[in-house]
Amino acid sequence: MTRALVLGGGGPVGIGWESGLAVGLASRGVDIAASEAIYGTSAGSFVGAQLALGLDIAEAVARLTETRGVVLPSNDASAPMADRMQALMTAITETALSDAPPEEGRQAIGRLSLQAEVPSEEEFLGVFAVLEGLEFPERFGCTAVDTATGEFVLWRTGSDADLWHAVASSCAVPCVYPPVTIGGRRYMDGGMRSALNADVAVGHDRVLAVSCTLLALPEDMSNPLFDALMGGLADEMATLKSSGSVVEVIEPNQEFLEISGWGTALMDISKAADAYAAGISQGVEESERIASIWNR
């Protein structure tokens, strides 16, 4: 019986929350770091790599909060930043609503990522320096997207990317951070395909998916754009379940939703420490439910 942990994207705030969840769950005997496979997208790739390596997750969050000179917060109201983010959201929306092949939409997003004025690739890689020189754990994989072709990539041990560059590429949010060069090509955030990419865990008996955003709106709310953006996640879950996997999901609770501005402030690094504390509390609260599938 194999277990897979899937950690989704959510910027620096998501890194704090997912890290706290792991600590809170472990404090109640649910060690998600011990899973046979760990898959990460964006924020989840940074957290997942450290869990797979057995690194001190609390120390990593503390280091992250010291990188404000490189990591740009989402509440940067300057006109250039606002314009870039608006262009990105427009491209993501058009891709979600289009009937064209998804790779075409991701190519458009890739062009935006290459044109944006962002920190240098060297500066960005410095955020992930804790991973420099470390071997790729065999049980870890992280996602990225080729900016030129829109092709989805799952970096694993033996692939073209070392761990340091693979994780950085998975976190390279277009228009905020620079694409990362691997094998002469440029790669951006794997979240441009899906915020979770949960279907990469097909083949595992039990899957725990951690999402930094709600997967569905409350029953009394309706938003066609939200449905279009998140519809792929429902398909991923269906794919997992139809393959025979038992799937459990952790979504944000009210405390984390308020810290993250219901998803609008996930890039604001100043909120990462509060998100970490919220994650610990939610991990404790979720421990009994998650233990029912994880510890059996």
Side-chain angles (χ1 to χ4, degrees), residues 11 25 28 54 62 64 78 101 105 122 134 147 151 157 160-161 168 170 179 181 186 201 210-211 230 281 288:
L25 287 165
R28 292 297 188 271
L64 179 69
S78 65
E122 181 180 6
L134 299 182
T147 58
E151 179 186 5
T157 180
D160 292 338
S170 187
T181 304
R186 306 292 301 281
V210 179
S211 174
M230 307 309 270
S281 297
E288 185 175 349

Side-chain angles (χ1 to χ4, degrees), residues 60-84:
V61 173
R63 280 196 302 269
L64 179 69
T65 60
E66 297 172 358
T67 63
R68 299 185 189 193
V70 174
V71 183
L72 301 177
S74 64
N75 59 4
D76 182 342
S78 65
M81 182 65 171
D83 289 346
R84 291 199 303 272

Side-chain angles (χ1 to χ4, degrees), residues 151-186:
E151 179 186 5
F152 175 70
V153 177
L154 178 65
W155 300 122
R156 302 294 305 265
T157 180
S159 63
D160 292 338
D162 60 56
L163 180 64
W164 182 30
H165 286 78
V167 170
S169 73
S170 187
C171 295
V173 180
C175 301
V176 180
Y177 309 128
V180 173
T181 304
I182 298 172
R185 305 190 68 81
R186 306 292 301 281

Side-chain angles (χ1 to χ4, degrees), residues 30-60:
V30 184
D31 185 8
I32 60 175
S35 60
E36 286 72 23
I38 299 175
Y39 301 103
T41 289
S42 199
S45 70
F46 191 40
V47 176
Q50 292 173 87
L51 291 176
L53 289 164
L55 300 181
D56 187 327
I57 202 79
E59 186 177 311

Side-chain angles (χ1 to χ4, degrees), residues 177-198:
Y177 309 128
V180 173
T181 304
I182 298 172
R185 305 190 68 81
R186 306 292 301 281
Y187 292 90
M188 61 183 176
D189 193 327
M192 296 306 101
R193 182 216 184 218
S194 162
L196 267 179
N197 293 304

